[in-house]
Amino acid sequence: LAGNISGLAMKPEVFDSEPGGFRENLLQIYEHMRRDDIFATYAVVPPPGARNKEYYQSAGVAQPACRVTGEDDKGVILNGMKFLATGAAYAHEVLVGNIMPLEPDQKKESITCVIPLNLEGLTLWSRPPLNRMDTNPFDNPLTTKFDESDCMLTFNDVHVPWEKIIVHDNAPLSRNIYTQTPSHVMANHQCNVRFHSKMRFLVGLASLITKVTGARDIPAVRETLAKLAAMEAGYGAMIDGQLYRYHEVDNGYVLFNRRALYAALHWAMENHSHLMDTVRELLGGGPFQFPASIDVMKDPYLKEMFENYWSTGDYGAKERMKFFKLAWDLVGSDHASRATSYEKFYVGPAHAVRNYNFVNAPWEELHGIAEGLMDTYDIPSDEMLLNDGGT
Ligand SMILES: Cc1cc2nc3c(=O)[nH]c(=O)nc-3n(C[C@H](O)[C@H](O)[C@H](O)COP(=O)(O)OP(=O)(O)OC[C@H]3O[C@@H](n4cnc5c(N)ncnc54)[C@H](O)[C@@H]3O)c2cc1C
């Protein structure tokens, strides 16, 4: 979210381009978040199931999407829900807005604001935590470090002061602020860098696991590792491309290359499950050979048995279990499963990610390559055919 807000502040004039934009508020919010080191998340999607407004109109029930239901001198009143603020349980503030286009008549839903999570009437409805009190870092090393929480936000007569609002009553502007400023690119470059770090970790761990299983020098296994290494290097190059082919944009700023960024987002979304499946295959049934918890080491009788039976030539039982538990937390645990959904959806659904690639492609230039070649020939004359040896 830091990237999002910084990207908005890089082109604040977009907020002056239409009624309903609050440029000064945005700049104040940017300064406050920077100065006070605010950890913020965002909820920028209407709740699934709330997108068919005809249903709610015909059934005569209030639509659940978060909207402005009143306003006064001090600010606006919000009611409804917003989907799905990752990290909200740990955050100071949340950006409420719309990354999906709204219909022009949905202007009350266009409210975009950055608010503290403890405003009266604002509640978080969270999935169960995966990192529980009794979760052991040895058995679930990633879950215990990286369980972020995912929360629905519900607004029950929440009063939002005017100074926290950056868009109000303008449906197109509430979405365009992300794409007509560097905001979307700034935020998602960080996501690309994060994904690359995860790939480096994954490839290293995959290779170590094959050492532990003793399969690393089998030609077919080396080939699998080589493919993983090639994917990791290629993805890294897509990030380098965002830096080397940067754009010069307004207000004296430079920006990561948009096409390389959206291509990398698409690549990650398409390939994450395949990467996980490849590591799972390298693991074989290994993760299931170990006891439920490393607590066995606290009982002298079980410890001795465990060390006797589970050790192999090069690796002790505890060491082997440590590798397999880490790998399972990456590819197979509840945490891993949640991460698989995250990698598919955090930018938006697949069709939206493809659309970013479509709208940013230089179609004229690409058409020109094929058209330029076609311009070099036409229906051959009889003479040309004879010269070319045609019949
Ligand atoms: C773990 C996790 C964390 C998240 N964190 C955040 C967050 O921090 N902040 C935030 O705002 N959001 C977050 N999200 C929500 C995310 O933005 C949405 O999941 C995403 O935009 C997709 O919307 P949806 O889930 O409603 O899927 P839907 O729109 O219901 O789509 C589901 C599926 O239906 C099909 N489909 C639907 N419409 C179309 C169409 N027009 N064309 C083709 N196929 C279609 C596709 O197969 C699609 O995958 C998170 C989601 C997950 C899973």
Side-chain angles (χ1 to χ4, degrees):
L1 187 101
N4 259 311
I5 299 289
S6 303
L8 294 175
M10 285 164 72
K11 198 171 177 186
E13 57 272 28
V14 164
F15 289 83
D16 292 333
S17 62
E18 292 186 35
F22 294 80
R23 173 195 180 123
E24 276 318 306
N25 291 353
L26 179 262
L27 292 175
Q28 291 292 331
I29 289 167
Y30 167 74
E31 284 302 331
H32 150 67
M33 295 180 87
R34 215 163 74 118
R35 188 183 57 238
D36 300 327
D37 200 14
I38 295 297
F39 171 46
T41 177
Y42 69 7
V44 288
V45 185
R51 297 172 198 161
N52 180 358
K53 65 178 184 209
E54 285 76 28
Y55 162 76
Y56 293 96
Q57 278 163 1
S58 61
V61 289
Q63 205 186 323
C66 174
R67 54 162 40 75
V68 172
T69 53
E71 57 184 84
D72 58 26
D73 293 350
K74 295 198 186 109
V76 301
I77 313 287
L78 298 187
N79 278 286
M81 300 160 94
K82 211 82 193 182
F83 179 59
L84 174 74
T86 292
Y90 305 105
H92 301 111
E93 300 195 3
V94 60
L95 165 70
V96 175
N98 298 281
I99 194 66
M100 295 191 178
L102 295 172
E103 303 280 339
D105 65 349
Q106 289 176 295
K107 60 183 194 172
K108 294 298 171 198
E109 287 173 44
S110 71
I111 184 72
T112 306
C113 50
V114 187
I115 51 177
L117 277 154
N118 61 355
L119 281 188
E120 205 177 326
L122 172 57
T123 50
L124 308 183
W125 293 56
S126 176
R127 63 164 168 79
L130 307 172
N131 180 24
R132 295 165 190 266
M133 297 291 279
D134 60 349
T135 311
N136 175 333
F138 189 97
D139 298 327
N140 294 89
L142 300 177
T143 305
T144 45
K145 278 194 196 327
F146 297 116
D147 186 18
E148 301 178 286
S149 86
D150 300 294
C151 303
M152 294 293 290
L153 303 185
T154 63
F155 298 80
N156 205 355
D157 286 334
V158 175
H159 197 280
V160 176
W162 284 115
E163 61 270 21
K164 296 288 178 195
I165 294 169
I166 58 177
V167 176
H168 177 39
D169 272 352
N170 188 325
L173 186 65
S174 78
R175 161 120 201 300
N176 292 345
I177 55 172
Y178 306 109
T179 51
Q180 291 180 1
T181 68
S183 178
H184 202 247
V185 171
M186 290 286 286
N188 283 301
H189 177 75
Q190 178 272 330
C191 301
N192 287 172
V193 173
R194 174 196 61 79
F195 192 86
H196 188 223
S197 303
K198 186 169 168 177
M199 279 186 84
R200 285 166 55 80
F201 169 66
L202 175 146
V203 177
L205 184 61
S207 170
L208 287 173
I209 284 291
T210 60
K211 281 186 167 196
V212 177
T213 60
R216 194 168 191 275
D217 292 327
I218 298 170
V221 173
R222 278 179 63 121
E223 240 184 59
T224 301
L225 292 175
K227 281 186 196 168
L228 289 176
M231 289 166 107
E232 182 276 315
Y235 193 80
M238 286 169 111
I239 294 177
D240 293 345
Q242 293 169 41
L243 302 173
Y244 291 123
R245 286 164 48 212
Y246 64 84
H247 306 292
E248 291 188 6
V249 295
D250 297 327
N251 302 324
Y253 292 113
V254 293
L255 183 62
F256 311 110
N257 184 280
R258 278 182 194 272
R259 287 200 67 209
L261 174 125
Y262 287 119
L265 283 181
H266 186 255
W267 192 96
M269 182 194 77
E270 291 267 290
N271 287 287
H272 178 266
S273 296
H274 171 61
L275 288 168
M276 293 297 146
D277 215 40
T278 306
V279 178
R280 187 187 281 256
E281 199 168 334
L282 290 173
L283 286 170
F288 304 100
Q289 69 189 297
F290 291 100
S293 169
I294 195 64
D295 284 357
V296 287
M297 297 295 270
K298 292 187 179 149
D299 179 289
Y301 174 72
L302 294 177
K303 178 173 186 282
E304 194 185 335
M305 266 180 78
F306 182 57
E307 286 178 339
N308 280 343
Y309 285 117
W310 271 264
S311 296
T312 57
D314 293 335
Y315 297 92
K318 187 187 87 175
E319 206 179 351
R320 290 180 69 223
M321 180 159 164
K322 198 169 187 179
F323 276 118
F324 277 100
K325 286 287 184 183
L326 176 59
W328 187 248
D329 216 10
L330 180 68
V331 304
S333 66
D334 283 354
H335 172 79
S337 178
R338 180 266 175 200
T340 296
S341 287
Y342 183 84
E343 300 296 359
K344 279 189 193 304
F345 288 116
Y346 75 87
V347 199
H351 56 271
V353 177
R354 293 193 186 107
N355 188 49
Y356 291 126
N357 280 280
F358 185 87
V359 298
N360 283 290
W363 291 115
E364 289 300 311
E365 192 186 315
L366 298 173
H367 293 164
I369 300 168
E371 286 165 351
L373 178 69
M374 287 193 289
D375 285 347
T376 63
Y377 58 87
D378 208 332
I379 304 172
S381 64
D382 291 345
E383 195 181 331
M384 275 171 71
L385 285 174
L386 280 175
N387 286 344
D388 284 352
T391 52

